[in-house]
Amino acid sequence: MNDMIIRKDRRAGRLTFNRPQALNALSHEMALAIDAALREWRDDPEVALVIIDAEGERAFCSGGDIAAVYRAGLAGDHRVGRKFFRDEYIMNARIAEYPKPIVAFMQGFVMGGGVGVGGHASHRIVGDTTQIAMPECGIGLIPDVGGSWLLGHAPGRCGEYLGLTAARMGAGDAIFTGFADSYIPEAEWPALIERLAESGDVTAIGAHPAPEAPLATVDLSAFAGETVAEIVAALETAGNEAALKPLRRNSPLSMAATLALVRAARKDATLRDSLARELRFTARATAGSDFLEGVRAQIIDKDRNPRWSADASPAHVAEMLAPLGADELIWEESK
């Protein structure tokens, strides 16, 4: 498919995002294509490692292409969203559990669905243009694609902060928080990809000193609050307007659910546990959350003025995160 260039290159399987005009947004078809290629290469003796990169300078992958999910949900069809999220999460888990090295080169915007692809690779490379974020609370969703797992395992209260505010991380912060592994100047990437494809050996990656991580010195103690309201109160007391601004702008239901998801993920044994819990929310998102309104305001009409109306009470958060019964994420199909 043209949106995802898939081929074998010497010792490497190559996956290249090829929608630079759409900031390499990940469609359902692209997620399925990535999953199919990984299944095909898993037992292929000619493929020693997998390289994931992207065309264009602005983005590795700016997120999921959710226009079809929005249109179907608006028409009352919630199956399209459920199928997209389910298939995407199976692909995310496959990347995380892959028996061969996967090297992701993440330039520019790496958000949402892009984190689900690059953020679970075994070797995650970032450069000077990298901007990683989980901005889902701004569209009425939650940090999914295993985002709750990554946030839950970030140091201190970075997970709550990043999930609720959608703050962007440069290369240093991405490495500090566990969203990336190595910093390499982007001018060196083409030659490195050549060496990897030729050798099939990840020791070719080498190492550069990581840039400074501003987050390492920020006081995030306010984000230890038990609820979003307690966090907001602590930030108001501290006079932290920069952190308060996104919390006043984002979906109250999404933030309450995100807080629950990040904290639950800290106790999860595997990424699969976190993905299964995320699906409980996203499978219900088009029917029971602010998601449709958030997409309308931020992506469709672009008026940037969402009118949040979803119930953000603890009872409704519990309903959104309750087991799905027969629709729970089944992992047999991902083997």
Side-chain angles (χ1 to χ4, degrees):
M1 61 185 299
N2 292 333
D3 289 345
M4 202 81 213
I5 303 173
I6 300 172
R7 72 278 191 204
K8 292 201 294 187
D9 177 8
R10 290 161 286 178
R11 303 295 315 285
R14 298 285 306 274
L15 297 165
T16 301
F17 286 100
N18 190 38
R19 297 183 74 195
Q21 74 285 356
L23 298 179
N24 291 319
L26 178 75
S27 68
H28 193 171
E29 292 74 22
M30 292 163 71
L32 291 172
I34 292 170
D35 196 62
L38 292 175
R39 280 188 278 115
E40 181 179 334
W41 293 334
R42 183 180 53 198
D43 299 317
D44 185 340
E46 295 181 355
V47 175
L49 52 78
V50 175
I51 298 169
I52 308 179
D53 62 355
E55 290 292 333
E57 298 179 354
R58 296 181 61 199
F60 170 76
C61 173
S62 61
D65 185 346
I66 48 179
V69 174
Y70 170 79
R71 289 193 300 268
L74 210 58
D77 181 356
H78 307 298
R79 297 168 296 177
V80 173
R82 290 176 193 147
K83 186 75 168 70
F84 172 54
F85 292 124
R86 181 182 300 273
D87 289 340
E88 185 180 18
Y89 299 174
I90 288 169
M91 177 268 290
N92 300 147
R94 192 178 309 284
I95 290 172
E97 299 168 0
Y98 209 58
K100 299 177 180 180
I102 298 180
V103 188
F105 290 83
M106 300 183 285
Q107 82 277 14
F109 295 125
V110 187
M111 299 181 177
V115 172
V117 175
H120 301 304
S122 60
H123 297 73
R124 303 165 297 175
I125 296 170
V126 289
D128 291 307
T129 69
T130 305
Q131 293 286 306
I132 297 179
M134 298 301 293
E136 288 79 6
C137 284
I139 59 166
L141 204 62
I142 46 92
D144 64 333
V145 298
S148 67
W149 168 269
L150 292 167
L151 293 168
H153 291 81
R157 296 296 173 178
C158 288
E160 286 94 339
Y161 167 73
L162 294 167
L164 295 181
T165 67
R168 297 179 183 180
M169 295 177 280
D173 279 337
I175 293 170
F176 170 69
T177 56
F179 277 70
D181 302 302
S182 304
Y183 163 77
I184 297 176
E186 287 163 38
E188 298 181 17
W189 290 10
L192 175 54
I193 289 172
E194 277 293 303
R195 292 199 299 274
L196 289 168
E198 184 66 33
S199 69
D201 183 359
V202 291
T203 61
I205 293 173
H208 285 258
E212 288 186 12
L215 265 180
T217 60
V218 175
D219 178 9
L220 299 178
S221 58
F223 287 85
E226 187 173 336
T227 64
V228 175
E230 288 185 17
I231 292 171
V232 167
L235 291 171
E236 287 175 340
T237 298
N240 190 339
E241 285 299 318
L244 282 166
K245 186 176 179 181
L247 268 62
R248 290 168 176 155
R249 182 179 64 232
N250 291 337
S251 161
L253 170 61
S254 292
M255 290 191 294
T258 293
L259 204 56
L261 285 162
V262 169
R263 290 173 175 175
R266 288 203 173 105
K267 303 172 186 175
D268 285 343
T270 68
L271 170 65
R272 291 186 177 202
D273 297 329
S274 299
L275 287 165
R277 189 181 299 106
E278 291 167 4
L279 184 66
R280 294 170 183 172
F281 187 101
T282 57
R284 298 176 168 113
T286 54
S289 77
D290 283 316
F291 176 62
L292 293 179
E293 171 59 12
V295 174
R296 180 208 65 75
Q298 303 294 355
I299 298 171
I300 305 300
D301 296 342
K302 294 184 170 65
D303 60 31
R304 315 292 188 217
N305 185 32
R307 294 178 286 275
W308 307 126
S309 61
D311 178 8
S313 69
H316 189 56
V317 172
E319 287 177 16
M320 293 294 291
L321 298 178
L324 293 166
D327 291 325
E328 280 281 284
L329 191 48
I330 304 299
W331 292 105
E332 282 73 16
E333 60 191 292
S334 70
K335 292 179 181 176

